[in-house]
Amino acid sequence: MMRGLRRWTVVLAFVGMIVSGAPAAGAGEIVIEDEVHSGIYSNEWYREADFDSLAAAAGGRATFGGTFHNINENDGAGGTWSNTRELLNEVWLGEATPFANVIVGASAFRIARGDFDAKIHEWASHVEQYLNKGQGRTVIIAPLQEANGDWVPYGCDPGNFKGAYQRFVDIFRSRGLDETKVRWAFAPNGWTTPGCGSITDYYPGDSYVDVLSFSGYNQGTCLPPSTKWASVAEVLDGPIAELTALSPTKPILVAQTAAGRSGCGGDQAQWVRDLFAHLKAKPNVFGFVWFNINKETDWRVWTGSWISPGWQDGTRTASYQWPLSD
């Protein structure tokens, strides 16, 4: 829905959500009213213009804008330029809250040991530049995403991952960036590489996590070893159940999801409709961020000139809030 039609309030600590008219939560429960908030990873640098065009085509805005970062991304920028600040700010100017994934190209052991503290401080200073622009700017940060997979340099080391994740949070807190500005997402992959433990093994603890997140894709028949078109429930319900059991007082945002646009064995537009409806019915899930990039396959629902009818239909049923807290 368009801005202002359904207002909601997110508790600053993000340990739960209070929605006008929602039933009271019992002990250990989250009650999120029948709603879902969408988000999207734009492949454009000038995301403000892309988000505005998407909103016009879809008939409503996305609450979240996904971004990917490396702590070295400002090396050599020079002068007053900041890649981090400007990327986050483009999302904000597009009237969305950034969901920022950030990696370090090293082992979890080295990060946890403190070898990259200075670089994390430096990256945090660039996030501060974005926040210091004011007007209610906030960000959700997911440090070292998908650490339960063997495809990232810090992966498959749950003990050291927890220490590495906590280092990120502690460094930001030492700079005075509390939960009114930065909220922290635990963002494993929905599927764990065999021999790398389980999602539970990587959890840094309730005091370090505000939002539970995960990646879950319908690869269809496009990407081996997948051999079938999977339903929304098949892709997402397992990780949702695992995260809910891990910490039932935390809200869940699907950090990355998508289904192939064509030739992957199914109807992407219908999968998108099902995604909005399915997550809307999950009482502890408040949204998702769509991976709108032509990468391993064409995951896009929006190209700048074409929009999926499934995204249009889903947007009509979705909620929207910017900024996140009233």
Side-chain angles (χ1 to χ4, degrees):
M1 292 188 179
M2 293 300 288
R3 178 169 64 252
L5 292 183
R6 291 187 68 187
R7 299 294 299 236
W8 67 327
T9 301
V10 180
V11 177
L12 288 179
F14 230 73
V15 296
M17 293 190 177
I18 302 171
V19 183
S20 177
E29 291 182 336
I30 297 173
V31 176
I32 302 174
E33 197 181 20
D34 181 24
E35 62 178 37
V36 64
H37 292 254
S38 67
I40 198 159
Y41 289 88
S42 172
N43 201 34
E44 303 295 327
W45 174 263
Y46 294 107
R47 281 162 166 78
E48 178 186 5
D50 195 37
F51 281 30
D52 287 347
S53 297
L54 172 61
R61 288 190 175 272
T63 293
F64 303 101
T67 58
F68 292 101
H69 302 266
N70 187 302
I71 60 165
N72 297 313
E73 66 191 4
N74 299 295
D75 291 358
T80 60
W81 181 261
S82 165
N83 290 310
T84 305
R85 179 194 67 215
E86 296 305 319
L87 185 56
L88 296 175
N89 201 49
E90 279 292 321
V91 172
W92 187 263
L93 293 175
E95 300 184 17
T97 294
F99 183 95
N101 303 267
V102 56
I103 67 166
V104 178
S107 69
F109 170 75
R110 291 190 63 204
I111 303 166
R113 189 173 65 182
D115 292 2
F116 295 89
D117 283 4
K119 292 299 294 184
I120 296 171
H121 266 289
E122 179 187 324
W123 190 76
S125 75
H126 289 272
V127 176
E128 278 187 274
Q129 292 178 37
Y130 154 74
L131 295 170
N132 288 341
K133 285 178 170 288
Q135 298 178 322
R137 281 169 172 78
T138 58
V139 61
I140 302 172
I141 300 177
L144 310 175
Q145 72 273 12
E146 299 183 348
N148 56 330
D150 61 3
W151 51 87
V152 291
Y154 46 80
C156 293
D157 186 356
N160 282 307
F161 166 77
K162 288 184 282 192
Y165 182 106
Q166 290 165 1
R167 261 194 131 74
F168 260 92
V169 178
D170 287 340
I171 285 171
F172 271 74
R173 287 176 176 169
S174 75
R175 302 178 70 93
L177 299 174
D178 63 14
E179 67 274 3
T180 66
K181 295 288 187 180
V182 179
R183 291 156 180 144
W184 295 98
F186 169 57
N189 194 52
W191 174 85
T192 301
T193 298
C196 292
S198 67
I199 287 176
T200 303
D201 297 329
Y202 292 79
Y203 189 55
D206 282 353
S207 64
Y208 282 90
V209 175
D210 302 308
V211 181
L212 301 173
S213 299
F214 69 95
S215 303
Y217 290 81
N218 173 18
Q219 299 183 145
T221 57
C222 286
L223 299 173
S226 176
T227 59
K228 60 166 286 189
W229 182 263
S231 69
V232 172
E234 289 174 316
V235 174
L236 302 182
D237 279 5
I240 289 172
E242 192 168 357
L243 289 172
T244 301
L246 175 63
S247 186
T249 63
K250 302 289 184 184
I252 297 174
L253 175 68
V254 182
Q256 297 180 43
T257 192
R261 179 176 168 189
S262 62
C264 290
D267 182 347
Q268 187 208 51
Q270 187 56 48
W271 202 89
V272 174
R273 294 184 190 100
D274 293 344
L275 175 67
F276 277 89
H278 191 74
L279 296 184
K280 191 174 183 180
K282 293 287 185 181
N284 55 340
V285 179
F286 65 96
F288 67 90
V289 192
W290 186 273
F291 188 77
N292 196 60
I293 298 173
N294 186 0
K295 193 181 177 188
E296 301 87 358
T297 187
D298 192 350
W299 305 106
R300 293 174 297 175
V301 292
W302 163 248
T303 66
S305 60
W306 169 86
I307 188 170
S308 165
W311 190 270
Q312 290 175 310
D313 292 344
T315 297
R316 295 188 188 103
T317 71
S319 300
Y320 170 66
Q321 179 67 34
W322 178 81
L324 279 181
S325 54
D326 291 332

